[in-house]
Amino acid sequence: MKELNKIWLDGEFVNWQSSKIHILNHSLHYGSAVFEGIRAYKTKKGSAIFRLPEHIDRLFYSASCMGMKIPFSKEEIREAILKLVKINKEDKCYIRPLVFFGYGKMGLNPKGALVKTAIINWPWGAYLGEGKPIRTVISKYTRPHPKSTIMNAKISGTYSNSILASLEAQKAKVEEAILLDFQGFIAEGPGENIFMVKNRKIFTPPKGTILPGITRDSVIKIAKNYKISVEEKKITTQEIKTADEVFFTGTAVEICPIGKIDKTIINKGEIGEITKKIKNTYQKIVCGEEKKYLEWLTFV
Ligand code: PMP
């Protein structure tokens, strides 16, 4: 990966190569970290970060779920993110805030463990498919039962489930997996929410068994502003395979059309009309070209 100049660690900007941690970090052993994925985009008025307050709110919520008290205010984290993007001179980048239990205490009860906070950014292009429809498989792994974890928190440990599904997709020689929930309904991708279009109406799985993404929320708002109906409902495998269009949403993946699920081709393997409309609008919004949505951008 391309190395940038600085990383923000516990209130200081340190050199990229000096951001070292001890091997006995609690979070490395037990997955007890929380994190965010944010994107900054190049606009005519410089770099802009998409829905920054929402990402910071989710970071603090995830940390509170893990019993972590972040030793910085939301405002301080916001300032640190803006400064980091500026000093690393990378207008278009991915930003990864990470809060983790540090060195000094082992054992599953993290009480008393040091809370460490880092922010890293790096250039990251298309996460999947380069804009072209991707192939997927329905995973044999189900998303965690909502009573076995906190589904609306971004907890590192939960991502072992996503990694297993991604390995399965790789083995099947396709780009991504789709995971079902504990009842066998469509849930989400390893790092993406999922939508389908049927008879010009949009459907997406309800909250409860998914990470309710900030891109998902944006897509719902964009569609509603276009007067396209959006319904949150449980979706079966059969329903999604007979949909007119299917797409993933997420900070990393943005809006990504799905052209194949298992052996079933969706919309002749091409991007659908409604997916295209939302994808184009999303691209314009993040680049500051849609006045109506400027409030979603924080300029660096
Ligand atoms: N689901 C999962 C499991 C994810 O990891 C992500 C990425 N954060 C998403 C959905 C999409 O969330 P967002 O749009 O906030 O990036």
Side-chain angles (χ1 to χ4, degrees):
M1 72 187 297
K2 185 182 167 189
E3 292 177 9
L4 300 186
N5 188 15
K6 298 283 183 190
I7 283 173
W8 185 92
L9 186 60
D10 294 323
E12 282 173 48
F13 290 97
V14 299
N15 289 332
W16 185 278
Q17 285 296 347
S18 334
S19 63
K20 304 258 191 291
I21 55 161
H22 196 275
I23 198 74
L24 278 177
N25 258 258
H26 188 278
S27 295
L28 178 63
H29 294 251
Y30 305 125
S32 58
V34 300
F35 66 100
E36 266 308 312
I38 312 174
R39 272 194 191 270
Y41 293 89
K42 217 176 192 158
T43 76
K44 281 186 189 135
K45 286 197 261 160
S47 180
I49 303 179
F50 186 61
R51 303 200 70 176
L52 181 58
E54 289 85 348
H55 282 286
I56 292 175
D57 283 349
R58 191 169 64 186
L59 180 72
F60 277 72
Y61 168 72
S62 301
S64 73
C65 292
M66 263 291 158
M68 293 164 160
K69 174 135 185 32
I70 301 180
F72 297 94
S73 66
K74 286 185 181 178
E75 187 51 36
E76 284 169 320
I77 296 296
R78 184 190 124 96
E79 285 305 312
I81 290 173
L82 294 174
K83 245 189 202 162
L84 184 71
V85 173
K86 208 178 266 175
I87 64 176
N88 276 338
K89 298 189 171 66
E90 201 69 45
D91 282 358
K92 189 172 188 289
C93 63
Y94 185 84
I95 304 158
R96 165 60 48 81
L98 176 73
V99 185
F100 58 102
F101 286 124
Y103 168 72
K105 181 156 193 293
M106 294 308 275
L108 289 172
N109 184 349
K111 193 171 185 299
L114 198 63
V115 175
K116 307 270 291 172
T117 316
I119 308 165
I120 313 107
N121 73 328
W122 66 87
W124 213 5
Y127 185 73
L128 285 174
E130 308 270 349
K132 288 199 198 84
I134 58 159
R135 299 160 299 171
T136 62
V137 282
I138 305 273
S139 176
K140 68 179 182 208
Y141 300 103
T142 60
R143 286 299 279 157
H145 190 289
K147 286 187 175 171
S148 71
T149 184
I150 303 173
M151 287 306 290
N152 59 357
K154 251 178 107 65
I155 300 169
S156 296
T158 314
Y159 280 83
S160 58
N161 171 260
S162 297
I163 293 169
L164 290 171
S166 301
L167 287 171
E168 197 186 357
Q170 188 196 319
K171 224 174 175 180
K173 297 193 167 47
V174 301
E175 285 77 29
E176 193 59 301
I178 297 172
L179 293 105
L180 305 180
D181 68 16
F182 71 101
Q183 292 175 311
F185 292 104
I186 299 293
E188 58 185 336
E192 306 89 8
N193 292 119
I194 195 162
F195 287 74
M196 70 170 192
V197 181
K198 219 165 200 170
N199 301 325
R200 306 194 67 78
K201 285 185 179 163
I202 297 181
F203 301 89
T204 193
K207 292 178 187 175
T209 58
I210 59 165
L211 181 84
I214 291 162
T215 321
R216 174 185 182 274
D217 176 72
S218 309
V219 163
I220 291 173
K221 288 179 175 145
I222 294 165
K224 286 188 174 164
N225 283 341
Y226 274 131
K227 307 254 182 302
I228 302 171
S229 144
V230 184
E231 192 186 325
E232 297 178 59
K233 76 166 198 106
K234 292 195 180 290
I235 298 169
T236 65
T237 304
Q238 173 66 20
E239 276 177 298
I240 207 156
K241 286 187 178 175
T242 53
D244 302 328
E245 305 174 27
V246 183
F247 60 92
F248 274 140
T249 67
T251 299
V253 85
E254 301 173 308
I255 315 296
C256 175
I258 295 175
K260 197 175 178 193
I261 305 173
D262 291 337
K263 293 200 167 89
T264 308
I265 308 281
I266 308 292
N267 194 43
K268 300 190 186 107
E270 285 164 18
I271 184 167
E273 188 192 321
I274 290 180
T275 310
K276 200 186 235 171
K277 188 169 175 156
I278 288 174
K279 187 175 167 62
N280 289 345
T281 304
Y282 185 83
Q283 277 314 317
K284 280 192 187 158
I285 291 171
V286 296
C287 293
E289 287 162 22
E290 287 278 347
K291 259 199 190 135
K292 198 159 126 190
Y293 297 94
L294 274 179
E295 63 186 35
W296 281 351
L297 298 180
T298 302
F299 289 88
V300 170

